[in-house]
Amino acid sequence: MSTLMAGRGRNRIRAPRRANLAGDGVDFESMWQVLASSLREIHTKNASKLSFEELYRNAYKLVLKKRGETLYLRVKEFEEDWLSGEVQPRILSVVSPSLLVFSTGGQMAITVNEKRAAEEKLLRALKEAWEDHNLCMNMTTDVLMYMDRVYCKDFKKTSIFAASMGQFRHHVLRAPLHPELNDTTGIAEILNCVILDQVQMDREGDMIDRSLIKSCIYMLEGLYETEDEDESSKLYLTSFEPVFLKASEQFYQHEGSTLLLDADASTFCKHAKKRVEEEEDRCRSTLSPLSLDKIKLVVETELIKNHLREVIALENSGVRFMIDNDRTGDLGMMYDLSARVDPSKDELRKAVQARIVEQGNGINESTTNMLKAPPRPSAPNGEKPEGDEKPAEKPINQQTAAAIKWVEEILHLKGKYDNFLTEAFQNDQGLQTAVTRSFTDFINSFERTSEYLSLFFDENMKKGIKGKTENEVDILLDMGITLLRYIQDKDLFERYYKKHLSKRLLMKRSISMDAERQMISKMKMEVGNTFTQRIEAMFKDMSVSEDLTNSYKKHVAQLGDKDPTRAEIEVNVLTSTMWPLEAMAPSYIEGENRSKCVFPTQIERIKKGFEKFYLDKHNGRQLTWQANMGTADLRAYFPEMKGTKKTRDLNVSTYAMLVLLLFNEVPAGQSLTCEEIQAQTNIPFNELTRNLQSLAVAPKTRVLKKEPMSKDVKPDDKFSFNDNFYSPYQRIKIGVVTSGNKVEDSIERSETEKKNNDTRGGVIEAAVVRIMKQRKELAHQKLIAEVIQQLTSRFRPDVNMVKKRIESLIEREYLERIEEREPPAYRYLA
């Protein structure tokens, strides 16, 4: 209803006393003439001299004398005549021919400014007519207040104000302009066209008189289709809004198609967002808030929803382009648009998932190609490559480098999408799930995932990492832990991690034991306690071994052995079921004798002493020495070394210690062949070769001389003690020469997978027995499903493997088939 309610709230008019009127006669016609004349004065804005109290008394008398119905009809007739004879012609006079043609869908050759002026003239005339009518009817209502309260209420008639509003609708807005031509077009249709044209100009960026349009919208909101004035029958909702929404649909259909052809995805998103905001503002400031949700739906449907798939897929600007070029802001706008029209964000989710898998598969493929590529040739004669000013660090094997690079690229990709989720996708749960699923898919499609991730941890947990600060390493390790969440074959990862961890612990290469334990704690939080139980047992062995070594030293001291040349021993006693002993075993060539290596007498005596000390405490246990996993500290004397100090402290492998101690018994100037060294030590040939290369070929640690001098070691090569050896350092660490490749070859990998599958068989059988012991009887399919469900957190059970293990349990009479049961089922045998 109009906000212009002038007249209501005037000075109170006193009702006459009934006793004074009881005997008076009523001349209706004369009273009506006074009232009619007064109403005319009100409508012509000449009511300043009227006595409203007297007018009220006259109307009061008529109603009291049962002439209320006649008065009601006469007032309605008066208003009808006034609207038809005075108001409508005045409005028609401002309707230009161009507006008439325009309202019927035709065109006239007029300028934009002429058209704008004609439209504003009509809007202004309607605004004035409506405000005048409201003002006059408010004043009239005050005069006829008693009629409204008594007659209209008793006879259930519409109030005179509401009736006059209906008359304005019917005789001004809805009256045909040319009834003689059977043309039903009225002012209302022209008004709709004018407002729609003004809205169109506003959408195109032209200036319009918003307050003028708002006044006419107030008029449509204050008029109803019926005299009951039901809110759903507002003329705005029944007359203007349908054509407004229809025109808006057509506008945004066309604009969406045009934008797809001319604009990129970012521009489309910005424009769509701007359009939604404009329509919201237009409803609040120019039209009606009643249309706010409806026009938003039109824009979202016609401009966004119907074109969203094409916008997302736009080449060189769509979601793929935004992801590749880190357009976080554009992705945020794309997310906002998707969320408006699709609560599940399906199209955006599919595009993001597809790109993740593409990028992930690309990393997998590039890594595979890198592994197949021939090794890079080294510079001849040890020359430095041209342009390389700094001395090169120790080269890392190409396959190992590929493994580390694979993990780092995955982590970089993960960080990228984590940023998108936070900054662009508002941590949307559905998109988070989709990203996790996509990373899981492509990570597990790469067969070396478990090995590479373990190797990544191994490289970053070692001492002396170059190029990274401690904080950077911690961040990398934390990100690596998140990758562990995606790996489905966690048992295979555990196998590799134990292999790498065992070498770090036994060869004392870890950053620190605290760092190692923190790493295990992080893993436990990520994947559960079951996963880390065996790894934690390895740390327990190391701790117990440290205490055991200290106890042995005290034991030796109590024996009173004062031999100053006696070697000290530190022993790590490992539980065979908890450590990857197969990975720690020495390397033999095919057909080689695998007898135990021979220790010098003084070392053998210490070994025996420790064995007796240990077995006295732990009767029934058996100790097996792993010489290939140990290290030794030696003090060597080099008679011809330049300088005054001729001794150096050497840190070598246990095998290298056995080799060097042999030369204590070799006269100066004499040598031993490789074959002779092996005969005296029983060191496996592969292990001996690598240790001799470390002692005699490596440029900075040639404590032995080799004849002939070459990289390869042959059985008849001769080795002698290098009296002229020199190093500026007092303590020298001589590492064992390796290929640098820590990645398994195809044969080693097949062997690892075979051992892992054997272990899985036992785990599957244990799960089957555990389930059947609880259930007693269970159908085949349900048993398979429960086994898979229980083991999924550790690895992906193969259905055929589960079936084979069930068959094995039946053969060993743990289970039996239930005869004549459909579907097939099993019974547990206690």
Side-chain angles (χ1 to χ4, degrees):
M1 188 173 288
S2 173
T3 57
L4 297 171
M5 303 295 288
R8 292 190 177 183
R10 295 170 62 87
N11 293 332
R12 185 176 177 185
I13 301 174
R14 292 178 298 169
R17 295 180 182 180
R18 289 176 178 263
N20 296 335
L21 299 172
D24 293 351
V26 174
D27 183 357
F28 178 85
E29 291 300 331
S30 63
M31 284 186 170
W32 169 246
Q33 290 301 324
V34 173
L35 282 172
S37 175
S38 300
L39 292 179
R40 185 172 298 277
E41 295 294 325
I42 289 173
H43 278 293
T44 56
K45 301 180 182 180
N46 193 26
S48 59
K49 297 180 180 179
L50 294 178
S51 171
F52 278 84
E53 184 173 351
E54 182 181 345
L55 294 174
Y56 178 84
R57 285 174 181 275
N58 288 340
Y60 178 86
K61 288 178 184 179
L62 293 175
V63 175
L64 195 63
K65 295 301 182 179
K66 309 300 183 184
R67 303 303 299 272
E69 181 178 4
T70 307
L71 175 61
Y72 183 81
L73 294 175
R74 288 287 183 92
V75 173
K76 285 184 65 177
E77 184 180 341
F78 175 86
E79 294 300 330
E80 180 180 335
D81 292 342
W82 177 263
L83 292 171
S84 300
E86 298 290 337
V87 179
Q88 188 195 28
R90 191 162 64 243
I91 293 174
L92 286 177
S93 67
V94 301
V95 178
S96 66
S98 62
L99 290 184
L100 286 172
V101 173
F102 177 58
S103 65
T104 58
Q107 296 290 333
M108 282 189 70
I110 60 172
T111 65
V112 174
N113 288 334
E114 288 174 340
K115 184 180 176 184
R116 184 201 305 275
E119 291 176 347
E120 290 182 353
K121 192 173 183 181
L122 173 63
L123 293 173
R124 196 168 286 107
L126 278 170
K127 172 180 180 289
E128 291 172 356
W130 170 249
E131 290 175 352
D132 285 347
H133 187 63
N134 262 277
L135 177 62
C136 294
M137 290 315 302
N138 273 302
M139 297 171 71
T140 301
T141 299
D142 286 342
V143 171
L144 303 174
M145 188 184 302
Y146 189 72
M147 182 184 73
D148 274 345
R149 289 181 179 177
V150 177
Y151 169 75
C152 294
K153 183 177 180 182
D154 290 348
F155 292 91
K156 297 181 180 179
K157 295 286 186 179
T158 305
S159 70
I160 198 64
F161 184 87
S164 69
M165 295 299 108
Q167 288 177 313
F168 188 91
R169 175 197 69 233
H170 186 71
H171 296 292
V172 177
L173 296 182
R174 293 276 177 82
L177 298 178
H178 302 290
E180 71 281 1
L181 301 176
N182 293 324
D183 184 0
T184 59
T185 302
I187 296 296
E189 286 74 21
I190 299 176
L191 175 63
N192 287 344
C193 291
V194 167
I195 296 177
L196 289 179
D197 191 52
Q198 292 284 308
V199 169
Q200 179 71 14
M201 293 194 312
D202 192 26
R203 286 171 176 162
E204 292 173 356
D206 293 335
M207 294 294 294
I208 62 172
D209 191 336
R210 290 172 176 255
S211 63
L212 187 58
I213 298 173
K214 188 68 174 178
S215 297
C216 293
I217 294 297
Y218 278 143
M219 175 186 70
L220 295 176
E221 287 184 310
L223 295 174
Y224 297 83
E225 291 288 352
T226 64
E227 293 182 350
D228 295 337
E229 296 191 349
D230 182 69
E231 288 298 309
S232 63
S233 68
K234 287 178 181 287
L235 219 60
Y236 176 85
L237 297 176
T238 61
S239 176
F240 174 73
E241 188 181 73
V243 295
F244 167 63
L245 296 177
K246 181 66 176 176
S248 298
E249 282 181 13
Q250 296 172 351
F251 174 79
Y252 285 114
Q253 284 173 1
H254 178 265
E255 184 172 77
S257 301
T258 304
L259 271 176
L260 270 181
L261 295 175
D262 300 337
D264 58 24
S266 176
T267 303
F268 189 101
C269 291
K270 292 175 184 175
H271 187 80
K273 181 181 179 182
K274 177 186 172 187
R275 282 301 195 197
V276 172
E277 292 171 350
E278 285 176 351
E279 293 295 344
E280 290 176 347
D281 178 65
R282 186 175 294 113
C283 283
R284 294 189 182 99
S285 64
T286 308
L287 302 179
S288 170
L290 295 173
S291 298
L292 183 59
D293 292 336
K294 299 170 189 175
I295 189 60
K296 278 174 62 179
L297 182 61
V298 168
V299 180
E300 289 168 356
T301 301
E302 302 301 334
L303 185 59
I304 302 173
K305 185 176 182 179
N306 292 347
H307 300 101
L308 184 62
R309 179 180 298 178
E310 291 89 341
V311 174
I312 287 174
L314 277 175
E315 192 173 356
N316 297 324
S317 69
V319 167
R320 176 176 178 147
F321 175 85
M322 294 175 183
I323 289 173
D324 293 348
N325 293 276
D326 295 325
R327 299 287 184 86
T328 307
D330 291 345
L331 283 172
M333 287 191 294
M334 187 69 77
Y335 172 82
D336 290 340
L337 293 190
S338 298
R340 284 181 178 275
V341 300
D342 180 13
S344 61
K345 280 76 72 176
D346 280 340
E347 294 299 332
L348 179 60
R349 175 181 55 77
K350 290 175 185 177
V352 171
Q353 282 188 290
R355 190 57 188 145
I356 291 174
V357 173
E358 283 178 10
Q359 290 176 308
N361 289 337
I363 293 172
N364 293 345
E365 187 176 344
S366 65
T367 302
T368 303
N369 294 336
M370 187 175 175
L371 294 176
K372 293 177 181 178
R376 289 168 296 206
S378 56
N381 302 322
E383 292 178 4
K384 186 171 64 176
E386 196 173 318
D388 194 358
E389 298 179 358
K390 296 182 179 179
E393 295 178 6
K394 183 178 179 180
I396 189 169
N397 177 271
Q398 189 166 326
Q399 290 186 319
T400 304
I404 304 303
K405 185 172 182 287
W406 180 85
V407 178
E408 289 177 344
E409 288 183 349
I410 297 295
L411 291 178
H412 175 74
L413 191 66
K414 178 68 169 59
K416 178 173 183 169
Y417 281 93
D418 284 347
N419 182 61
F420 289 154
L421 283 169
T422 303
E423 301 298 328
F425 301 150
Q426 302 176 19
N427 289 316
D428 183 273
Q429 189 62 47
L431 284 169
Q432 282 184 341
T433 302
V435 168
T436 298
R437 186 179 297 118
S438 300
F439 270 87
T440 301
D441 289 345
F442 83 78
I443 285 175
N444 288 284
S445 68
F446 189 60
E447 61 178 9
R448 290 186 176 269
T449 295
S450 297
E451 181 184 7
Y452 281 11
L453 182 58
S454 176
L455 191 57
F456 171 79
F457 286 135
D458 184 56
E459 286 296 310
N460 285 284
M461 292 293 289
K462 286 180 180 177
K463 291 179 181 178
I465 301 172
K466 295 181 180 179
K468 292 188 181 83
T469 65
E470 187 174 334
N471 187 48
E472 288 173 337
V473 172
D474 285 342
I475 292 172
L476 275 176
L477 294 177
D478 285 339
M479 293 179 68
I481 288 291
T482 63
L483 286 193
L484 180 57
R485 182 190 311 159
Y486 300 130
I487 294 179
Q488 293 174 333
D489 294 335
K490 292 184 175 64
D491 60 334
L492 188 58
F493 170 80
E494 179 190 353
R495 183 175 291 273
Y496 282 114
Y497 192 84
K498 286 170 62 179
K499 171 185 171 183
H500 294 135
L501 174 63
S502 64
K503 292 181 179 178
R504 290 200 303 276
L505 295 180
L506 297 177
M507 305 302 286
K508 303 187 186 313
R509 293 176 183 169
S510 292
I511 298 174
S512 70
M513 292 299 288
D514 287 342
E516 293 284 3
R517 288 192 176 93
Q518 286 176 12
M519 191 67 186
I520 300 306
S521 296
K522 291 175 182 178
M523 288 185 180
K524 185 187 294 186
M525 291 175 62
E526 190 64 39
V527 295
N529 185 51
T530 305
F531 174 79
T532 58
Q533 281 179 345
R534 291 178 179 271
I535 299 176
E536 287 176 319
M538 295 170 67
F539 286 97
K540 184 178 179 181
D541 281 350
M542 296 299 292
S543 178
V544 170
S545 296
E546 186 177 351
D547 295 339
L548 187 64
T549 298
N550 292 333
S551 297
Y552 179 65
K553 288 179 180 179
K554 291 179 182 178
H555 170 72
V556 171
Q558 291 171 359
L559 292 176
D561 189 347
K562 302 297 183 180
D563 183 1
T565 63
R566 178 186 177 88
E568 291 187 358
I569 186 172
E570 291 184 9
V571 181
N572 292 316
V573 181
L574 315 178
T575 307
S576 59
T577 55
M578 297 298 172
W579 290 72
L581 297 182
E582 70 280 355
M584 297 159 55
S587 172
Y588 292 93
I589 61 176
E590 190 174 352
E592 184 177 3
N593 180 21
R594 300 199 175 192
S595 57
K596 297 179 181 179
C597 69
V598 178
F599 286 86
T601 305
Q602 67 269 36
I603 303 299
E604 189 65 33
R605 183 166 66 89
I606 296 171
K607 277 180 55 190
K608 294 295 185 184
F610 179 82
E611 286 179 7
K612 184 177 185 308
F613 167 77
Y614 182 81
L615 295 176
D616 285 345
K617 285 191 170 187
H618 304 282
N619 189 25
R621 294 187 182 180
Q622 182 180 357
L623 292 177
T624 303
W625 294 86
Q626 297 283 341
N628 61 301
M629 297 302 294
T631 61
D633 289 333
L634 302 175
R635 179 159 292 170
Y637 175 71
F638 300 95
E640 303 298 327
M641 179 182 286
K642 58 185 178 180
T644 56
K645 194 168 185 179
K646 309 292 184 179
T647 60
R648 292 292 185 271
D649 295 330
L650 308 180
N651 176 258
V652 296
S653 70
T654 302
Y655 284 152
M657 174 196 73
L658 299 182
V659 172
L660 291 174
L661 290 179
L662 289 180
F663 287 92
N664 283 338
E665 310 299 327
V666 176
Q670 294 190 20
S671 61
L672 293 172
T673 65
C674 174
E675 204 167 24
E676 290 171 340
I677 293 173
Q678 187 181 25
Q680 294 184 48
T681 61
N682 269 344
I683 299 173
F685 186 75
N686 283 342
E687 301 287 346
L688 178 60
T689 298
R690 293 193 295 114
N691 277 278
L692 287 174
Q693 286 175 327
S694 299
L695 297 171
V697 178
K700 296 182 180 180
T701 59
R702 291 177 183 171
V703 295
L704 298 180
K705 293 179 181 178
K706 178 178 180 295
E707 294 180 8
M709 187 60 192
S710 64
K711 180 179 179 182
D712 297 328
V713 175
K714 298 177 181 178
D716 56 352
D717 286 349
K718 294 180 179 181
F719 295 87
S720 60
F721 190 72
N722 182 9
D723 293 335
N724 296 317
F725 173 77
Y726 174 76
S727 174
Y729 304 106
Q730 178 60 34
R731 181 174 174 81
I732 306 164
K733 180 176 177 64
I734 303 178
V736 179
V737 170
T738 64
S739 63
N741 179 28
K742 299 176 183 178
V743 178
E744 291 181 336
D745 58 29
S746 57
I747 298 175
E748 291 172 328
R749 176 157 183 84
S750 297
E751 186 65 24
T752 299
E753 289 180 345
K754 181 179 181 301
K755 291 175 182 175
N756 203 55
N757 285 336
D758 292 342
T759 303
R760 285 182 178 181
V763 174
I764 292 172
E765 286 187 358
V768 171
V769 171
R770 190 165 54 248
I771 293 167
M772 292 303 298
K773 190 173 183 179
Q774 182 182 7
R775 296 296 196 88
K776 305 304 181 186
E777 292 184 2
L778 197 62
H780 172 79
Q781 290 299 336
K782 288 186 177 180
L783 177 58
I784 296 287
E786 286 202 30
V787 169
I788 291 175
Q789 182 181 3
Q790 282 196 12
L791 300 180
T792 298
S793 62
R794 186 160 178 78
F795 61 90
R796 293 173 294 178
D798 179 68
V799 175
N800 290 327
M801 183 182 288
V802 177
K803 291 179 180 178
K804 287 179 181 178
R805 303 328 299 175
I806 292 174
E807 292 295 329
S808 176
L809 290 171
I810 292 173
E811 291 174 4
R812 288 178 283 156
E813 299 184 351
Y814 283 90
L815 307 176
E816 69 174 1
R817 289 188 178 87
I818 301 177
E819 299 295 336
E820 299 179 357
R821 174 73 70 87
E822 288 295 335
Y826 306 104
R827 181 182 293 116
Y828 177 69
L829 300 177

